[in-house]
PDB file of all heavy atoms in Angstrom:
ATOM      1  N   ALA V1310      -1.743 -14.486  -2.912  1.00  0.00           N
ATOM      2  CA  ALA V1310      -0.669 -14.075  -2.010  1.00  0.00           C
ATOM      3  C   ALA V1310      -0.805 -12.588  -1.692  1.00  0.00           C
ATOM      4  O   ALA V1310      -1.360 -11.818  -2.471  1.00  0.00           O
ATOM      5  CB  ALA V1310       0.681 -14.345  -2.659  1.00  0.00           C
ATOM      6  N   SER V1311      -0.300 -12.201  -0.549  1.00  0.00           N
ATOM      7  CA  SER V1311      -0.329 -10.803  -0.139  1.00  0.00           C
ATOM      8  C   SER V1311       0.550  -9.964  -1.050  1.00  0.00           C
ATOM      9  O   SER V1311       1.617 -10.384  -1.481  1.00  0.00           O
ATOM     10  CB  SER V1311       0.171 -10.682   1.308  1.00  0.00           C
ATOM     11  OG  SER V1311       0.261  -9.329   1.688  1.00  0.00           O
ATOM     12  N   GLY V1312       0.096  -8.771  -1.321  1.00  0.00           N
ATOM     13  CA  GLY V1312       0.926  -7.788  -2.003  1.00  0.00           C
ATOM     14  C   GLY V1312       0.684  -7.657  -3.493  1.00  0.00           C
ATOM     15  O   GLY V1312       0.140  -8.550  -4.138  1.00  0.00           O
ATOM     16  N   PHE V1313       1.087  -6.489  -3.996  1.00  0.00           N
ATOM     17  CA  PHE V1313       1.041  -6.178  -5.423  1.00  0.00           C
ATOM     18  C   PHE V1313       2.470  -5.958  -5.884  1.00  0.00           C
ATOM     19  O   PHE V1313       3.196  -5.152  -5.305  1.00  0.00           O
ATOM     20  CB  PHE V1313       0.201  -4.920  -5.666  1.00  0.00           C
ATOM     21  CG  PHE V1313      -1.274  -5.172  -5.595  1.00  0.00           C
ATOM     22  CD1 PHE V1313      -1.928  -5.237  -4.380  1.00  0.00           C
ATOM     23  CD2 PHE V1313      -2.002  -5.366  -6.768  1.00  0.00           C
ATOM     24  CE1 PHE V1313      -3.294  -5.478  -4.320  1.00  0.00           C
ATOM     25  CE2 PHE V1313      -3.369  -5.607  -6.720  1.00  0.00           C
ATOM     26  CZ  PHE V1313      -4.020  -5.664  -5.492  1.00  0.00           C
ATOM     27  N   VAL V1314       2.874  -6.681  -6.932  1.00  0.00           N
ATOM     28  CA  VAL V1314       4.263  -6.674  -7.385  1.00  0.00           C
ATOM     29  C   VAL V1314       4.432  -5.812  -8.629  1.00  0.00           C
ATOM     30  O   VAL V1314       3.729  -5.996  -9.623  1.00  0.00           O
ATOM     31  CB  VAL V1314       4.753  -8.106  -7.701  1.00  0.00           C
ATOM     32  CG1 VAL V1314       6.200  -8.084  -8.175  1.00  0.00           C
ATOM     33  CG2 VAL V1314       4.603  -9.002  -6.498  1.00  0.00           C
ATOM     34  N   MET V1315       5.390  -4.885  -8.547  1.00  0.00           N
ATOM     35  CA  MET V1315       5.851  -4.134  -9.711  1.00  0.00           C
ATOM     36  C   MET V1315       7.272  -4.588 -10.004  1.00  0.00           C
ATOM     37  O   MET V1315       8.068  -4.761  -9.084  1.00  0.00           O
ATOM     38  CB  MET V1315       5.857  -2.626  -9.430  1.00  0.00           C
ATOM     39  CG  MET V1315       4.490  -1.996  -9.454  1.00  0.00           C
ATOM     40  SD  MET V1315       4.551  -0.218  -9.138  1.00  0.00           S
ATOM     41  CE  MET V1315       5.229   0.407 -10.659  1.00  0.00           C
ATOM     42  N   GLY V1316       7.570  -4.762 -11.281  1.00  0.00           N
ATOM     43  CA  GLY V1316       8.888  -5.229 -11.666  1.00  0.00           C
ATOM     44  C   GLY V1316       8.861  -6.707 -11.976  1.00  0.00           C
ATOM     45  O   GLY V1316       7.799  -7.330 -12.026  1.00  0.00           O
ATOM     46  N   ALA V1317      10.031  -7.261 -12.171  1.00  0.00           N
ATOM     47  CA  ALA V1317      10.162  -8.668 -12.559  1.00  0.00           C
ATOM     48  C   ALA V1317       9.650  -9.593 -11.460  1.00  0.00           C
ATOM     49  O   ALA V1317      10.072  -9.490 -10.309  1.00  0.00           O
ATOM     50  CB  ALA V1317      11.620  -8.974 -12.875  1.00  0.00           C
ATOM     51  N   ALA V1318       8.743 -10.475 -11.830  1.00  0.00           N
ATOM     52  CA  ALA V1318       8.157 -11.397 -10.852  1.00  0.00           C
ATOM     53  C   ALA V1318       9.204 -12.324 -10.245  1.00  0.00           C
ATOM     54  O   ALA V1318       9.096 -12.731  -9.093  1.00  0.00           O
ATOM     55  CB  ALA V1318       7.046 -12.212 -11.504  1.00  0.00           C
ATOM     56  N   ASN V1319      10.225 -12.660 -11.028  1.00  0.00           N
ATOM     57  CA  ASN V1319      11.287 -13.557 -10.546  1.00  0.00           C
ATOM     58  C   ASN V1319      12.593 -12.797 -10.327  1.00  0.00           C
ATOM     59  O   ASN V1319      13.679 -13.314 -10.576  1.00  0.00           O
ATOM     60  CB  ASN V1319      11.490 -14.702 -11.531  1.00  0.00           C
ATOM     61  CG  ASN V1319      11.892 -14.194 -12.904  1.00  0.00           C
ATOM     62  OD1 ASN V1319      11.747 -13.011 -13.207  1.00  0.00           O
ATOM     63  ND2 ASN V1319      12.389 -15.089 -13.743  1.00  0.00           N
ATOM     64  N   ALA V1320      12.476 -11.567  -9.838  1.00  0.00           N
ATOM     65  CA  ALA V1320      13.638 -10.684  -9.669  1.00  0.00           C
ATOM     66  C   ALA V1320      14.665 -11.259  -8.703  1.00  0.00           C
ATOM     67  O   ALA V1320      14.319 -11.962  -7.751  1.00  0.00           O
ATOM     68  CB  ALA V1320      13.181  -9.316  -9.185  1.00  0.00           C
ATOM     69  N   ASN V1321      15.919 -10.926  -8.957  1.00  0.00           N
ATOM     70  CA  ASN V1321      17.004 -11.312  -8.050  1.00  0.00           C
ATOM     71  C   ASN V1321      17.028 -10.434  -6.804  1.00  0.00           C
ATOM     72  O   ASN V1321      17.492 -10.860  -5.751  1.00  0.00           O
ATOM     73  CB  ASN V1321      18.351 -11.227  -8.767  1.00  0.00           C
ATOM     74  CG  ASN V1321      18.491 -12.286  -9.831  1.00  0.00           C
ATOM     75  OD1 ASN V1321      17.929 -13.375  -9.714  1.00  0.00           O
ATOM     76  ND2 ASN V1321      19.222 -11.979 -10.886  1.00  0.00           N
ATOM     77  N   VAL V1322      16.547  -9.203  -6.926  1.00  0.00           N
ATOM     78  CA  VAL V1322      16.461  -8.302  -5.775  1.00  0.00           C
ATOM     79  C   VAL V1322      14.991  -7.995  -5.542  1.00  0.00           C
ATOM     80  O   VAL V1322      14.316  -7.431  -6.402  1.00  0.00           O
ATOM     81  CB  VAL V1322      17.259  -6.998  -6.006  1.00  0.00           C
ATOM     82  CG1 VAL V1322      17.085  -6.051  -4.821  1.00  0.00           C
ATOM     83  CG2 VAL V1322      18.728  -7.300  -6.244  1.00  0.00           C
ATOM     84  N   THR V1323      14.505  -8.395  -4.388  1.00  0.00           N
ATOM     85  CA  THR V1323      13.102  -8.175  -4.056  1.00  0.00           C
ATOM     86  C   THR V1323      12.986  -7.207  -2.886  1.00  0.00           C
ATOM     87  O   THR V1323      13.716  -7.320  -1.904  1.00  0.00           O
ATOM     88  CB  THR V1323      12.390  -9.496  -3.691  1.00  0.00           C
ATOM     89  OG1 THR V1323      13.038 -10.062  -2.537  1.00  0.00           O
ATOM     90  CG2 THR V1323      12.436 -10.485  -4.842  1.00  0.00           C
ATOM     91  N   ILE V1324      12.085  -6.260  -3.035  1.00  0.00           N
ATOM     92  CA  ILE V1324      11.804  -5.302  -1.976  1.00  0.00           C
ATOM     93  C   ILE V1324      10.367  -5.537  -1.546  1.00  0.00           C
ATOM     94  O   ILE V1324       9.454  -5.488  -2.375  1.00  0.00           O
ATOM     95  CB  ILE V1324      11.974  -3.852  -2.468  1.00  0.00           C
ATOM     96  CG1 ILE V1324      13.385  -3.644  -3.025  1.00  0.00           C
ATOM     97  CG2 ILE V1324      11.654  -2.859  -1.352  1.00  0.00           C
ATOM     98  CD1 ILE V1324      13.503  -2.446  -3.938  1.00  0.00           C
ATOM     99  N   ASP V1325      10.174  -5.828  -0.278  1.00  0.00           N
ATOM    100  CA  ASP V1325       8.836  -5.953   0.287  1.00  0.00           C
ATOM    101  C   ASP V1325       8.631  -4.767   1.210  1.00  0.00           C
ATOM    102  O   ASP V1325       9.484  -4.490   2.060  1.00  0.00           O
ATOM    103  CB  ASP V1325       8.695  -7.247   1.097  1.00  0.00           C
ATOM    104  CG  ASP V1325       8.405  -8.443   0.228  1.00  0.00           C
ATOM    105  OD1 ASP V1325       9.369  -9.014  -0.330  1.00  0.00           O
ATOM    106  OD2 ASP V1325       7.232  -8.794   0.104  1.00  0.00           O
ATOM    107  N   VAL V1326       7.508  -4.082   1.044  1.00  0.00           N
ATOM    108  CA  VAL V1326       7.223  -2.943   1.906  1.00  0.00           C
ATOM    109  C   VAL V1326       5.804  -3.078   2.456  1.00  0.00           C
ATOM    110  O   VAL V1326       4.876  -3.424   1.727  1.00  0.00           O
ATOM    111  CB  VAL V1326       7.423  -1.600   1.162  1.00  0.00           C
ATOM    112  CG1 VAL V1326       6.523  -1.474  -0.044  1.00  0.00           C
ATOM    113  CG2 VAL V1326       7.238  -0.418   2.092  1.00  0.00           C
ATOM    114  N   PHE V1327       5.677  -2.841   3.748  1.00  0.00           N
ATOM    115  CA  PHE V1327       4.388  -2.859   4.431  1.00  0.00           C
ATOM    116  C   PHE V1327       4.034  -1.414   4.747  1.00  0.00           C
ATOM    117  O   PHE V1327       4.776  -0.728   5.461  1.00  0.00           O
ATOM    118  CB  PHE V1327       4.468  -3.683   5.717  1.00  0.00           C
ATOM    119  CG  PHE V1327       4.689  -5.149   5.466  1.00  0.00           C
ATOM    120  CD1 PHE V1327       5.964  -5.647   5.202  1.00  0.00           C
ATOM    121  CD2 PHE V1327       3.618  -6.039   5.482  1.00  0.00           C
ATOM    122  CE1 PHE V1327       6.172  -6.992   4.956  1.00  0.00           C
ATOM    123  CE2 PHE V1327       3.813  -7.395   5.240  1.00  0.00           C
ATOM    124  CZ  PHE V1327       5.089  -7.876   4.979  1.00  0.00           C
ATOM    125  N   VAL V1328       2.929  -0.929   4.177  1.00  0.00           N
ATOM    126  CA  VAL V1328       2.523   0.467   4.338  1.00  0.00           C
ATOM    127  C   VAL V1328       1.076   0.551   4.804  1.00  0.00           C
ATOM    128  O   VAL V1328       0.298  -0.387   4.643  1.00  0.00           O
ATOM    129  CB  VAL V1328       2.688   1.272   3.021  1.00  0.00           C
ATOM    130  CG1 VAL V1328       4.146   1.375   2.626  1.00  0.00           C
ATOM    131  CG2 VAL V1328       1.855   0.682   1.897  1.00  0.00           C
ATOM    132  N   ASP V1329       0.747   1.705   5.375  1.00  0.00           N
ATOM    133  CA  ASP V1329      -0.606   2.047   5.814  1.00  0.00           C
ATOM    134  C   ASP V1329      -0.957   3.348   5.100  1.00  0.00           C
ATOM    135  O   ASP V1329      -0.164   4.287   5.096  1.00  0.00           O
ATOM    136  CB  ASP V1329      -0.580   2.220   7.333  1.00  0.00           C
ATOM    137  CG  ASP V1329      -1.900   2.674   7.941  1.00  0.00           C
ATOM    138  OD1 ASP V1329      -2.522   3.622   7.412  1.00  0.00           O
ATOM    139  OD2 ASP V1329      -2.309   2.107   8.963  1.00  0.00           O
ATOM    140  N   LEU V1330      -2.137   3.409   4.491  1.00  0.00           N
ATOM    141  CA  LEU V1330      -2.526   4.590   3.712  1.00  0.00           C
ATOM    142  C   LEU V1330      -2.635   5.859   4.547  1.00  0.00           C
ATOM    143  O   LEU V1330      -2.509   6.963   4.021  1.00  0.00           O
ATOM    144  CB  LEU V1330      -3.845   4.333   2.982  1.00  0.00           C
ATOM    145  CG  LEU V1330      -3.748   3.376   1.806  1.00  0.00           C
ATOM    146  CD1 LEU V1330      -5.132   2.970   1.315  1.00  0.00           C
ATOM    147  CD2 LEU V1330      -2.930   3.988   0.678  1.00  0.00           C
ATOM    148  N   GLN V1331      -2.857   5.717   5.842  1.00  0.00           N
ATOM    149  CA  GLN V1331      -3.003   6.881   6.716  1.00  0.00           C
ATOM    150  C   GLN V1331      -1.698   7.246   7.428  1.00  0.00           C
ATOM    151  O   GLN V1331      -1.622   8.257   8.110  1.00  0.00           O
ATOM    152  CB  GLN V1331      -4.120   6.601   7.738  1.00  0.00           C
ATOM    153  CG  GLN V1331      -4.685   7.838   8.387  1.00  0.00           C
ATOM    154  CD  GLN V1331      -5.850   7.518   9.319  1.00  0.00           C
ATOM    155  OE1 GLN V1331      -6.579   6.561   9.120  1.00  0.00           O
ATOM    156  NE2 GLN V1331      -6.020   8.317  10.353  1.00  0.00           N
ATOM    157  N   CYS V1332      -0.679   6.445   7.226  1.00  0.00           N
ATOM    158  CA  CYS V1332       0.600   6.653   7.911  1.00  0.00           C
ATOM    159  C   CYS V1332       1.422   7.742   7.216  1.00  0.00           C
ATOM    160  O   CYS V1332       1.745   7.618   6.034  1.00  0.00           O
ATOM    161  CB  CYS V1332       1.372   5.334   7.918  1.00  0.00           C
ATOM    162  SG  CYS V1332       3.088   5.480   8.443  1.00  0.00           S
ATOM    163  N   PRO V1333       1.788   8.812   7.932  1.00  0.00           N
ATOM    164  CA  PRO V1333       2.585   9.870   7.308  1.00  0.00           C
ATOM    165  C   PRO V1333       3.989   9.409   6.899  1.00  0.00           C
ATOM    166  O   PRO V1333       4.553   9.914   5.936  1.00  0.00           O
ATOM    167  CB  PRO V1333       2.649  10.964   8.379  1.00  0.00           C
ATOM    168  CG  PRO V1333       2.289  10.306   9.657  1.00  0.00           C
ATOM    169  CD  PRO V1333       1.440   9.119   9.324  1.00  0.00           C
ATOM    170  N   HIS V1334       4.539   8.421   7.605  1.00  0.00           N
ATOM    171  CA  HIS V1334       5.858   7.898   7.242  1.00  0.00           C
ATOM    172  C   HIS V1334       5.777   7.069   5.956  1.00  0.00           C
ATOM    173  O   HIS V1334       6.690   7.111   5.127  1.00  0.00           O
ATOM    174  CB  HIS V1334       6.457   7.079   8.381  1.00  0.00           C
ATOM    175  CG  HIS V1334       6.613   7.857   9.642  1.00  0.00           C
ATOM    176  ND1 HIS V1334       7.383   8.999   9.734  1.00  0.00           N
ATOM    177  CD2 HIS V1334       6.087   7.666  10.875  1.00  0.00           C
ATOM    178  CE1 HIS V1334       7.329   9.478  10.963  1.00  0.00           C
ATOM    179  NE2 HIS V1334       6.548   8.690  11.674  1.00  0.00           N
ATOM    180  N   SER V1335       4.677   6.329   5.800  1.00  0.00           N
ATOM    181  CA  SER V1335       4.466   5.592   4.552  1.00  0.00           C
ATOM    182  C   SER V1335       4.328   6.573   3.393  1.00  0.00           C
ATOM    183  O   SER V1335       4.890   6.362   2.312  1.00  0.00           O
ATOM    184  CB  SER V1335       3.210   4.719   4.644  1.00  0.00           C
ATOM    185  OG  SER V1335       3.357   3.704   5.605  1.00  0.00           O
ATOM    186  N   LYS V1336       3.590   7.653   3.633  1.00  0.00           N
ATOM    187  CA  LYS V1336       3.424   8.683   2.598  1.00  0.00           C
ATOM    188  C   LYS V1336       4.785   9.275   2.218  1.00  0.00           C
ATOM    189  O   LYS V1336       5.060   9.519   1.038  1.00  0.00           O
ATOM    190  CB  LYS V1336       2.497   9.788   3.094  1.00  0.00           C
ATOM    191  CG  LYS V1336       2.325  10.922   2.106  1.00  0.00           C
ATOM    192  CD  LYS V1336       1.472  12.037   2.669  1.00  0.00           C
ATOM    193  CE  LYS V1336       1.365  13.174   1.661  1.00  0.00           C
ATOM    194  NZ  LYS V1336       0.509  14.263   2.142  1.00  0.00           N
TER     195      LYS V1336
END
Side-chain angles (χ1 to χ4, degrees):
S1311 175
F1313 283 81
V1314 180
M1315 284 181 73
N1319 60 344
N1321 291 330
V1322 177
T1323 61
I1324 303 160
D1325 278 83
V1326 60
F1327 293 81
V1328 295
D1329 176 313
L1330 288 169
Q1331 199 176 330
C1332 169
H1334 301 300
S1335 295
K1336 177 184 178 178

